Amino acid sequence: MIVNDVVLPAPASMEDLSNAVKKRLRHESVRSLVILKHSIDARKKPQLYEVFTVAVNEDPAVYRAPVHLRETLSGILNADEDPTVLPLCNIKPVVIAGCGPAGLFAALWLLRRRIPVVLLERGGNVDERIEATNRFFTENILDPECNVQFGEGGAGTFSDGKLTTGTHRTVVNDMVLRTFHEFGAPEEILYEAKPHIGTDRLTGIVREMRSEILRLGGIVRFHACLTGIEHAGNTLKAVEIN
């Protein structure tokens, strides 16, 4: 059962939320309570209110994403069979230029469908980036290929980790949030109106995503700047890297 618009004065605890749901439903007990959506209503300052949408007395695993998306998302995120026991397709690999968000998610999506991948990144891995960035800020030494802008995770890795979009929640948006949660982001990003990870967590998540890409058979090349492409019609023949 889904209960919408449960409004409580902030800060609200899970006990407060459970009691409010019991009162709304006139139930004596709530076996399980899963938050699907959470936002802050600040229209009556100085009093703030928290607004929840919750799933009640259902299997919590079913509601890791908004209910109306769960069937579609399961088809996107989960391979039909265990990728750890199946070989990659016997085809030429897809070459992905850049180990930013688009590159990481593309590599995961393809590998989970047994499609081989080579991921090229002009900068270093996230640990090298941390060292290079610290050198820049403390010693004013810039590595032009591995810095705040270039390297594993992309430019956003050293922002404050906000996950924002100019559109309403979509299947793709929720796939991104669920993937981040899978690799270590807090569960709150699945339902918060303005989800946030934080740089300290984000670097570790990026590292775990790369580990999964490697585990699934992907190839990751750092310090490999794509400088040329050879193709015939719509077929990629070769890439040139420095």
Side-chain angles (χ1 to χ4, degrees), residues 208-224:
E208 290 301 315
M209 292 177 73
R210 185 222 312 157
S211 295
E212 178 69 358
I213 288 168
L214 295 173
R215 186 184 72 81
L216 293 174
I219 297 171
V220 182
R221 293 277 306 273
F222 293 110
H223 305 289

Side-chain angles (χ1 to χ4, degrees), residues 30-227:
V30 173
R31 295 192 306 277
S32 66
L33 188 68
V34 181
I35 300 173
L36 302 182
K37 186 177 179 181
H38 171 250
S39 60
I40 299 293
D41 184 346
R43 291 175 296 179
K44 299 180 180 179
K45 292 180 179 178
Q47 179 62 59
L48 302 178
Y49 293 89
E50 296 186 68
V51 184
F52 298 89
T53 297
V54 297
V56 183
N57 295 342
E58 303 283 356
D59 179 1
V62 174
Y63 292 100
R64 293 179 61 192
V67 180
H68 67 289
L69 296 176
R70 67 179 186 265
E71 292 182 1
T72 306
L73 282 170
S74 66
I76 291 176
L77 287 176
N78 301 321
D80 295 332
E81 300 171 89
D82 184 355
T84 63
V85 297
L86 291 175
L88 294 173
C89 298
N90 186 25
I91 59 175
K92 292 182 178 179
V94 175
V95 178
I96 299 173
C99 203
L104 289 170
F105 276 88
L108 279 173
W109 193 93
L110 290 165
L111 287 164
R112 285 175 169 175
R113 283 147 187 82
R114 325 291 184 258
I115 299 171
V117 163
V118 175
L119 185 54
L120 304 177
E121 170 54 52
R122 68 185 292 178
N125 64 42
V126 72
D127 296 302
E128 291 178 285
R129 288 188 72 193
I130 291 171
E131 293 181 8
T133 301
N134 287 338
R135 277 197 305 272
F136 176 71
F137 287 121
T138 59
E139 303 174 42
N140 205 29
I141 299 174
L142 174 65
D143 183 336
E145 299 298 330
C146 185
N147 48 58
V148 173
Q149 296 296 316
F150 300 142
E152 183 180 30
T157 303
F158 291 96
S159 72
D160 58 358
K162 287 180 180 174
L163 302 173
T164 58
T165 175
T167 64
H168 296 293
R169 293 286 287 272
T170 67
V171 171
V172 174
N173 293 346
D174 283 278
M175 182 270 286
V176 169
L177 295 176
R178 288 188 63 182
T179 303
F180 278 135
H181 176 54
E182 174 188 352
F183 290 106
E187 185 178 11
E188 289 78 12
I189 71 168
L190 301 179
Y191 55 76
E192 290 287 356
K194 295 183 177 180
H196 179 261
I197 293 179
T199 296
D200 290 346
R201 288 196 187 104
L202 191 55
T203 52
I205 292 166
V206 168
R207 194 181 296 114
E208 290 301 315
M209 292 177 73
R210 185 222 312 157
S211 295
E212 178 69 358
I213 288 168
L214 295 173
R215 186 184 72 81
L216 293 174
I219 297 171
V220 182
R221 293 277 306 273
F222 293 110
H223 305 289
C225 182
L226 180 65
T227 55

